[in-house]
Amino acid sequence: TLEDATTTFVPALEKAINRVAEPGLVNLEAFLAALPSSISSDPTLRTKLAPAVLAPTKSVSAPTRAAAVRVFSTLFSAGDEAELLPVAEQVYTPIRTGKTTSPDHRTTLYTLLAALPASARLSPEVVSTALTALAKETNEATFAALMRALGAHLPAALVADAGVPQPQTAALTKSLGDTKPALRRLAQAALGGVFWTLEK
């Protein structure tokens, strides 16, 4: 039952993740796969699990961060916008406040933002976060993840007629002519993908 999951199993899994993150996340992934969809998709369960899944995004271990991305995508790649907005806020707040621990941490957080379903209220928040940080981001892997998040959410933000402040637009325009060829290509490909999506 949902009560069994939230009161018996989830606390044990949270402790396991806190102790040794990667095997704990693998166990959580298997647990979610074994649950009936009526329980695994329950907002109460998903919201309760969010902090435990987000904590390992700071890990120095690439497999641990990858496991966190997989579990997060399982939990939050679909759902009600009102439910997902607080989850998105937990993801983008460290970026906005400059409290990320490393480029790998930022890369993982942008990957999580890209996994969230686009919507009229959520997507503008992701776009604002990405474009505000864009001018300061020089790490190629992080820049690529930022552009994936932007590509996933900018079309929905534009369709929702969400305004993009001039400094953010200027940062995106500047990135199209970045002096680093790899970053320039990533920005151009992302923006081209946005226009392609809007054309459809």
Side-chain angles (χ1 to χ4, degrees):
T1 65
L2 178 60
E3 185 178 356
D4 291 333
T6 54
T7 62
T8 302
F9 292 98
V10 167
L13 288 162
E14 288 172 332
K15 288 179 183 177
I17 292 169
N18 287 335
R19 280 198 298 268
V20 190
E22 187 186 350
L25 288 165
V26 170
N27 287 336
L28 175 56
E29 189 175 14
F31 174 70
L32 292 171
L35 288 175
S37 60
S38 59
I39 297 177
S40 62
S41 62
D42 183 86
T44 304
L45 178 69
R46 300 197 315 172
T47 303
K48 184 173 175 56
L49 286 169
V53 175
L54 289 174
T57 61
K58 301 176 184 179
S59 174
V60 296
S61 164
T64 297
R65 296 193 305 273
V69 170
R70 287 197 309 272
V71 175
F72 184 92
S73 299
T74 298
L75 288 168
F76 302 114
S77 60
D80 180 75
E81 182 181 61
E83 174 203 344
L84 293 174
L85 280 168
V87 175
E89 185 176 2
Q90 291 180 62
V91 179
Y92 62 64
T93 294
I95 299 172
R96 290 187 176 185
T97 57
K99 293 184 178 178
T100 55
T101 58
S102 67
D104 287 335
H105 185 202
R106 292 195 303 278
T107 300
T108 305
L109 294 177
Y110 284 121
T111 302
L112 300 186
L113 291 174
L116 290 167
S119 72
R121 291 174 59 200
L122 190 154
S123 292
E125 297 292 345
V126 176
V127 169
S128 176
T129 300
L131 290 181
T132 300
L134 178 59
K136 297 176 285 186
E137 192 54 69
T138 57
N139 180 276
E140 186 176 336
T142 307
F143 192 93
L146 185 157
M147 285 298 162
R148 286 194 297 272
L150 202 59
H153 290 280
L154 184 55
L158 294 174
V159 169
D161 203 22
V164 179
Q166 194 278 332
Q168 296 181 6
T169 304
L172 181 57
T173 302
K174 185 177 179 180
S175 71
L176 298 174
D178 197 287
T179 55
K180 295 182 178 179
L183 302 190
R184 186 169 65 243
R185 285 194 296 270
L186 287 166
Q188 292 171 353
L191 192 58
V194 169
F195 288 130
W196 179 266
T197 301
L198 290 172
E199 279 294 313
K200 295 177 181 179

